[in-house]
Amino acid sequence: MKRFVILGGGYGGLTVAHALLEGELPDDTIVVLIDRMPFQGLKTEYYSLVAGTAADIDLRVAFPSDPRLIVTYGEVTDIDLDAKHIQLAGQDPLEYEWLVVALGCTDKYHGIDGAELYSNSIQTFSASRKTYLALNDVKPYGQVTIVGGGLSGVEVASELREGRPDLNIRIIDRGPSILSAFPGKLQEYVSSWFIEHEVEMRGHVSLHKLEEGSLYDLNNPSPILSDVTVWTAGIQPVALVQRMNLPKDAQGRLIINEHHQLPDYNDVFIVGDCASLPFSPSAQAAEGQGKQVAEVMQAIWSGKTPKLGKIKLKGVLGSLGKKAGFGLMGRTPLMGRVPRVLKSGVLWMSKHHFG
């Protein structure tokens, strides 16, 4: 049997698997999905896991059950593109006919001394569980610091405020304000929510070092004291992709052609946070790529030339606790109850494999 191997059961990898199984899979081909966990973790909702407002079982999505699908669990340690095999920790090499690399991302620490050692991550299910324990072991009126004022940082700060109203919470960023990539109207709305709910905001903070209980700003000689620090200040492709000696963009993501393939290895597709795309990494982008990878394979198996349209992103939604939110649909900002309801609907669709 020919193996179509998918590395990573996240938004992109799982979309590829579903789309292939829903289409015409050749009789001599089987799909192999490899992941560390026996389920997909809904990463866009990890902020609620770390805040303790959602149980981890609510953020799990079962992998599909299909006789044409083999699910394998393990840690991918290496890929030999020339020999066409994958190395899993403690297992024999696995050969493939076609490969999808959808392994996601890891934190980017920007060379800041001690950042990885003394901060907590939300990039994996396992890391989010550990961060939940750290945050919820903070004593009443303790201090929590969230580094990074983007979408993830805002959602962690607001959800934690709802889950632990006793805590002192601050969010810091290198820029002048939170959500710098969003229109000013949305920035002002979220800032007002933070002020109303007593979340401290600090801009123009240039961190150069973290220690146990302290963060150090180049612009201020006094340390920023913190019982627990959560890192949401940037992402980069996983270490395995970082090690690959192939053309990459300025963010370290692999350059791909119009069919999401490596230019020199057309049997290998790159999906999600590891791929160089004309827009920011997101679950939507990964799912859009996943659907198109399946289209490319269906065309190849049918002896046709793949013809793909542009991936269209529907917008961005963020939550401020369970009752308020914000969003951007095209150039239209959304604020208040409606974007929060919309995000809940998106979560329901993700759980039921509707994208």
Side-chain angles (χ1 to χ4, degrees), residues 79-119:
I79 302 171
D80 189 326
L81 297 174
D82 295 311
K84 298 184 67 168
H85 70 64
I86 302 143
Q87 186 64 57
L88 298 174
Q91 301 182 42
D92 292 333
L94 180 69
E95 295 182 353
Y96 65 84
E97 189 73 23
W98 301 279
L99 178 67
V100 174
V101 179
L103 291 170
C105 63
T106 187
D107 289 297
K108 187 172 185 178
Y109 295 104
H110 309 284
I112 297 172
D113 185 29
E116 183 173 6
L117 185 59
Y118 296 111
S119 69

Short mmCIF file of all heavy atoms in Angstrom, two decimals, residues 79-119:
data_model
loop_
_atom_site.label_atom_id
_atom_site.label_comp_id
_atom_site.label_asym_id
_atom_site.label_seq_id
_atom_site.Cartn_x
_atom_site.Cartn_y
_atom_site.Cartn_z
N ILE A 79 12.98 14.00 9.33
CA ILE A 79 12.40 13.66 8.03
C ILE A 79 13.54 13.59 7.03
O ILE A 79 14.32 14.53 6.88
CB ILE A 79 11.38 14.72 7.57
CG1 ILE A 79 10.26 14.90 8.60
CG2 ILE A 79 10.80 14.34 6.21
CD1 ILE A 79 9.34 16.09 8.29
N ASP A 80 13.64 12.47 6.32
CA ASP A 80 14.63 12.32 5.25
C ASP A 80 13.87 12.47 3.93
O ASP A 80 13.20 11.54 3.48
CB ASP A 80 15.31 10.96 5.34
CG ASP A 80 16.50 10.84 4.38
OD1 ASP A 80 16.43 11.42 3.28
OD2 ASP A 80 17.48 10.17 4.74
N LEU A 81 13.96 13.65 3.34
CA LEU A 81 13.19 13.95 2.14
C LEU A 81 13.66 13.14 0.94
O LEU A 81 12.87 12.83 0.04
CB LEU A 81 13.26 15.45 1.83
CG LEU A 81 12.66 16.38 2.89
CD1 LEU A 81 12.93 17.83 2.53
CD2 LEU A 81 11.16 16.15 3.03
N ASP A 82 14.95 12.81 0.88
CA ASP A 82 15.47 12.05 -0.24
C ASP A 82 15.13 10.57 -0.14
O ASP A 82 14.75 9.93 -1.13
CB ASP A 82 17.00 12.24 -0.33
CG ASP A 82 17.37 13.69 -0.65
OD1 ASP A 82 16.80 14.25 -1.60
OD2 ASP A 82 18.21 14.26 0.08
N ALA A 83 15.24 10.02 1.06
CA ALA A 83 14.90 8.60 1.27
C ALA A 83 13.40 8.40 1.43
O ALA A 83 12.92 7.27 1.39
CB ALA A 83 15.62 8.06 2.49
N LYS A 84 12.67 9.51 1.62
CA LYS A 84 11.21 9.48 1.80
C LYS A 84 10.80 8.63 3.01
O LYS A 84 9.97 7.74 2.90
CB LYS A 84 10.50 9.00 0.53
CG LYS A 84 10.73 9.91 -0.67
CD LYS A 84 9.97 9.48 -1.89
CE LYS A 84 8.49 9.63 -1.72
NZ LYS A 84 7.74 9.48 -2.99
N HIS A 85 11.43 8.93 4.14
CA HIS A 85 10.98 8.28 5.36
C HIS A 85 11.04 9.23 6.55
O HIS A 85 11.78 10.21 6.55
CB HIS A 85 11.71 6.96 5.62
CG HIS A 85 13.16 7.09 6.02
ND1 HIS A 85 13.58 7.70 7.17
CD2 HIS A 85 14.28 6.64 5.39
CE1 HIS A 85 14.89 7.65 7.25
NE2 HIS A 85 15.34 7.01 6.19
N ILE A 86 10.24 8.90 7.55
CA ILE A 86 10.09 9.72 8.76
C ILE A 86 10.62 8.92 9.94
O ILE A 86 10.39 7.72 10.04
CB ILE A 86 8.60 10.02 9.02
CG1 ILE A 86 7.99 10.76 7.82
CG2 ILE A 86 8.40 10.85 10.28
CD1 ILE A 86 6.59 10.33 7.56
N GLN A 87 11.31 9.62 10.83
CA GLN A 87 11.81 8.97 12.03
C GLN A 87 10.95 9.39 13.23
O GLN A 87 10.77 10.59 13.47
CB GLN A 87 13.27 9.34 12.29
CG GLN A 87 13.88 8.58 13.46
CD GLN A 87 13.95 7.08 13.20
OE1 GLN A 87 14.54 6.65 12.21
NE2 GLN A 87 13.34 6.30 14.09
N LEU A 88 10.41 8.41 13.94
CA LEU A 88 9.67 8.66 15.17
C LEU A 88 10.50 8.18 16.34
O LEU A 88 11.17 7.14 16.24
CB LEU A 88 8.33 7.92 15.15
CG LEU A 88 7.33 8.30 14.06
CD1 LEU A 88 6.13 7.37 14.10
CD2 LEU A 88 6.89 9.74 14.21
N ALA A 89 10.47 8.92 17.46
CA ALA A 89 11.25 8.56 18.63
C ALA A 89 10.90 7.15 19.09
O ALA A 89 9.73 6.83 19.34
CB ALA A 89 10.99 9.56 19.76
N GLY A 90 11.94 6.28 19.17
CA GLY A 90 11.75 4.94 19.68
C GLY A 90 11.04 3.98 18.75
O GLY A 90 10.64 2.89 19.16
N GLN A 91 10.87 4.37 17.48
CA GLN A 91 10.16 3.52 16.52
C GLN A 91 10.99 3.36 15.24
O GLN A 91 11.91 4.15 14.98
CB GLN A 91 8.79 4.12 16.17
CG GLN A 91 7.86 4.30 17.38
CD GLN A 91 6.51 4.84 16.98
OE1 GLN A 91 5.92 4.43 15.99
NE2 GLN A 91 5.99 5.79 17.76
N ASP A 92 10.64 2.36 14.45
CA ASP A 92 11.31 2.17 13.16
C ASP A 92 10.91 3.29 12.20
O ASP A 92 9.81 3.85 12.30
CB ASP A 92 10.91 0.82 12.56
CG ASP A 92 11.45 -0.36 13.36
OD1 ASP A 92 12.50 -0.19 14.02
OD2 ASP A 92 10.81 -1.43 13.33
N PRO A 93 11.79 3.61 11.24
CA PRO A 93 11.44 4.63 10.24
C PRO A 93 10.18 4.24 9.47
O PRO A 93 9.92 3.06 9.22
CB PRO A 93 12.66 4.67 9.32
CG PRO A 93 13.77 4.13 10.15
CD PRO A 93 13.16 3.10 11.05
N LEU A 94 9.39 5.25 9.11
CA LEU A 94 8.15 5.04 8.36
C LEU A 94 8.30 5.65 6.97
O LEU A 94 8.58 6.85 6.85
CB LEU A 94 6.97 5.68 9.10
CG LEU A 94 5.59 5.55 8.45
CD1 LEU A 94 5.12 4.11 8.49
CD2 LEU A 94 4.59 6.46 9.15
N GLU A 95 8.11 4.85 5.94
CA GLU A 95 8.22 5.34 4.57
C GLU A 95 6.90 5.98 4.12
O GLU A 95 5.83 5.64 4.62
CB GLU A 95 8.61 4.20 3.63
CG GLU A 95 9.98 3.62 3.91
CD GLU A 95 10.34 2.51 2.92
OE1 GLU A 95 9.46 2.12 2.12
OE2 GLU A 95 11.49 2.05 2.96
N TYR A 96 7.01 6.90 3.17
CA TYR A 96 5.81 7.55 2.64
C TYR A 96 5.91 7.71 1.13
O TYR A 96 7.01 7.72 0.56
CB TYR A 96 5.61 8.92 3.30
CG TYR A 96 6.70 9.94 3.00
CD1 TYR A 96 6.69 10.70 1.83
CD2 TYR A 96 7.76 10.13 3.90
CE1 TYR A 96 7.68 11.63 1.56
CE2 TYR A 96 8.76 11.05 3.63
CZ TYR A 96 8.71 11.80 2.47
OH TYR A 96 9.71 12.71 2.18
N GLU A 97 4.75 7.81 0.51
CA GLU A 97 4.67 8.16 -0.90
C GLU A 97 4.44 9.66 -1.04
O GLU A 97 5.00 10.32 -1.91
CB GLU A 97 3.54 7.38 -1.58
CG GLU A 97 3.52 7.51 -3.09
CD GLU A 97 4.64 6.75 -3.77
OE1 GLU A 97 5.18 5.79 -3.17
OE2 GLU A 97 5.00 7.12 -4.91
N TRP A 98 3.55 10.18 -0.17
CA TRP A 98 3.28 11.62 -0.09
C TRP A 98 3.29 12.00 1.38
O TRP A 98 2.96 11.21 2.25
CB TRP A 98 1.91 11.96 -0.69
CG TRP A 98 1.77 11.56 -2.13
CD1 TRP A 98 2.22 12.24 -3.23
CD2 TRP A 98 1.13 10.38 -2.62
NE1 TRP A 98 1.91 11.54 -4.37
CE2 TRP A 98 1.23 10.40 -4.03
CE3 TRP A 98 0.48 9.31 -2.02
CZ2 TRP A 98 0.73 9.40 -4.84
CZ3 TRP A 98 -0.04 8.30 -2.80
CH2 TRP A 98 0.08 8.34 -4.20
N LEU A 99 3.67 13.25 1.63
CA LEU A 99 3.82 13.70 3.02
C LEU A 99 3.24 15.09 3.20
O LEU A 99 3.42 15.97 2.36
CB LEU A 99 5.31 13.72 3.38
CG LEU A 99 5.67 14.20 4.79
CD1 LEU A 99 5.17 13.22 5.85
CD2 LEU A 99 7.18 14.40 4.93
N VAL A 100 2.53 15.29 4.31
CA VAL A 100 2.07 16.61 4.73
C VAL A 100 2.74 16.96 6.04
O VAL A 100 2.63 16.19 7.02
CB VAL A 100 0.54 16.67 4.91
CG1 VAL A 100 0.11 18.02 5.49
CG2 VAL A 100 -0.18 16.41 3.59
N VAL A 101 3.45 18.06 6.08
CA VAL A 101 4.07 18.54 7.32
C VAL A 101 3.17 19.62 7.90
O VAL A 101 3.06 20.72 7.34
CB VAL A 101 5.49 19.09 7.08
CG1 VAL A 101 6.10 19.60 8.39
CG2 VAL A 101 6.38 18.02 6.47
N ALA A 102 2.49 19.29 8.98
CA ALA A 102 1.55 20.22 9.62
C ALA A 102 1.79 20.19 11.12
O ALA A 102 0.88 19.95 11.92
CB ALA A 102 0.11 19.83 9.29
N LEU A 103 3.04 20.43 11.51
CA LEU A 103 3.47 20.25 12.89
C LEU A 103 3.30 21.48 13.77
O LEU A 103 3.62 21.45 14.96
CB LEU A 103 4.93 19.79 12.91
CG LEU A 103 5.17 18.37 12.38
CD1 LEU A 103 6.66 18.11 12.21
CD2 LEU A 103 4.54 17.34 13.30
N GLY A 104 2.82 22.58 13.19
CA GLY A 104 2.50 23.74 14.01
C GLY A 104 3.72 24.56 14.39
O GLY A 104 4.73 24.59 13.70
N CYS A 105 3.62 25.21 15.55
CA CYS A 105 4.62 26.20 15.94
C CYS A 105 5.04 26.02 17.39
O CYS A 105 4.47 25.24 18.14
CB CYS A 105 4.08 27.60 15.73
SG CYS A 105 2.63 27.97 16.77
N THR A 106 6.05 26.78 17.74
CA THR A 106 6.51 26.85 19.12
C THR A 106 6.74 28.32 19.47
O THR A 106 6.67 29.19 18.59
CB THR A 106 7.81 26.03 19.28
OG1 THR A 106 8.16 25.98 20.66
CG2 THR A 106 8.95 26.65 18.49
N ASP A 107 6.98 28.60 20.73
CA ASP A 107 7.19 29.99 21.15
C ASP A 107 8.46 30.57 20.54
O ASP A 107 9.45 29.85 20.33
CB ASP A 107 7.29 30.09 22.67
CG ASP A 107 5.97 29.84 23.36
OD1 ASP A 107 5.03 30.63 23.16
OD2 ASP A 107 5.86 28.84 24.11
N LYS A 108 8.43 31.86 20.28
CA LYS A 108 9.61 32.59 19.85
C LYS A 108 9.99 33.55 20.97
O LYS A 108 9.18 34.39 21.38
CB LYS A 108 9.34 33.36 18.55
CG LYS A 108 10.58 34.01 17.96
CD LYS A 108 10.28 34.60 16.59
CE LYS A 108 11.54 35.14 15.93
NZ LYS A 108 11.27 35.67 14.57
N TYR A 109 11.23 33.42 21.46
CA TYR A 109 11.64 34.18 22.64
C TYR A 109 12.53 35.39 22.31
O TYR A 109 12.96 36.10 23.22
CB TYR A 109 12.35 33.26 23.63
CG TYR A 109 11.43 32.20 24.19
CD1 TYR A 109 11.51 30.88 23.73
CD2 TYR A 109 10.47 32.50 25.14
CE1 TYR A 109 10.67 29.90 24.23
CE2 TYR A 109 9.62 31.53 25.65
CZ TYR A 109 9.72 30.23 25.18
OH TYR A 109 8.87 29.26 25.66
N HIS A 110 12.79 35.61 21.04
CA HIS A 110 13.50 36.82 20.58
C HIS A 110 14.86 37.01 21.25
O HIS A 110 15.33 38.14 21.42
CB HIS A 110 12.63 38.07 20.81
CG HIS A 110 11.24 37.94 20.27
ND1 HIS A 110 10.95 38.04 18.93
CD2 HIS A 110 10.05 37.69 20.90
CE1 HIS A 110 9.64 37.88 18.75
NE2 HIS A 110 9.09 37.66 19.93
N GLY A 111 15.49 35.91 21.65
CA GLY A 111 16.81 36.01 22.26
C GLY A 111 16.83 36.58 23.66
O GLY A 111 17.90 36.95 24.17
N ILE A 112 15.68 36.67 24.30
CA ILE A 112 15.60 37.27 25.65
C ILE A 112 16.08 36.25 26.68
O ILE A 112 15.54 35.15 26.79
CB ILE A 112 14.17 37.72 25.96
CG1 ILE A 112 13.75 38.83 24.98
CG2 ILE A 112 14.04 38.22 27.40
CD1 ILE A 112 12.29 39.22 25.06
N ASP A 113 17.07 36.62 27.42
CA ASP A 113 17.70 35.74 28.40
C ASP A 113 16.69 35.28 29.46
O ASP A 113 16.01 36.10 30.08
CB ASP A 113 18.86 36.48 29.07
CG ASP A 113 19.66 35.60 30.02
OD1 ASP A 113 19.71 34.39 29.79
OD2 ASP A 113 20.22 36.15 30.99
N GLY A 114 16.58 33.97 29.64
CA GLY A 114 15.72 33.42 30.68
C GLY A 114 14.25 33.34 30.32
O GLY A 114 13.45 32.83 31.11
N ALA A 115 13.87 33.79 29.12
CA ALA A 115 12.44 33.83 28.77
C ALA A 115 11.84 32.43 28.72
O ALA A 115 10.74 32.21 29.25
CB ALA A 115 12.25 34.55 27.43
N GLU A 116 12.53 31.49 28.10
CA GLU A 116 11.98 30.14 28.00
C GLU A 116 11.93 29.45 29.36
O GLU A 116 10.96 28.76 29.69
CB GLU A 116 12.82 29.30 27.03
CG GLU A 116 12.28 27.90 26.82
CD GLU A 116 13.01 27.14 25.73
OE1 GLU A 116 14.03 27.66 25.22
OE2 GLU A 116 12.56 26.03 25.39
N LEU A 117 12.94 29.69 30.18
CA LEU A 117 13.03 29.02 31.48
C LEU A 117 12.03 29.56 32.49
O LEU A 117 11.46 28.80 33.28
CB LEU A 117 14.46 29.17 32.01
CG LEU A 117 14.80 28.43 33.31
CD1 LEU A 117 14.60 26.93 33.14
CD2 LEU A 117 16.23 28.73 33.73
N TYR A 118 11.79 30.87 32.46
CA TYR A 118 11.00 31.48 33.54
C TYR A 118 9.62 31.99 33.09
O TYR A 118 9.00 32.78 33.79
CB TYR A 118 11.79 32.63 34.17
CG TYR A 118 13.05 32.14 34.85
CD1 TYR A 118 14.31 32.45 34.33
CD2 TYR A 118 12.99 31.35 36.00
CE1 TYR A 118 15.47 32.00 34.95
CE2 TYR A 118 14.13 30.89 36.61
CZ TYR A 118 15.37 31.22 36.09
OH TYR A 118 16.51 30.75 36.71
N SER A 119 9.16 31.52 31.95
CA SER A 119 7.79 31.87 31.53
C SER A 119 7.03 30.59 31.20
O SER A 119 7.62 29.52 31.05
CB SER A 119 7.80 32.81 30.32
OG SER A 119 8.26 32.15 29.16
#
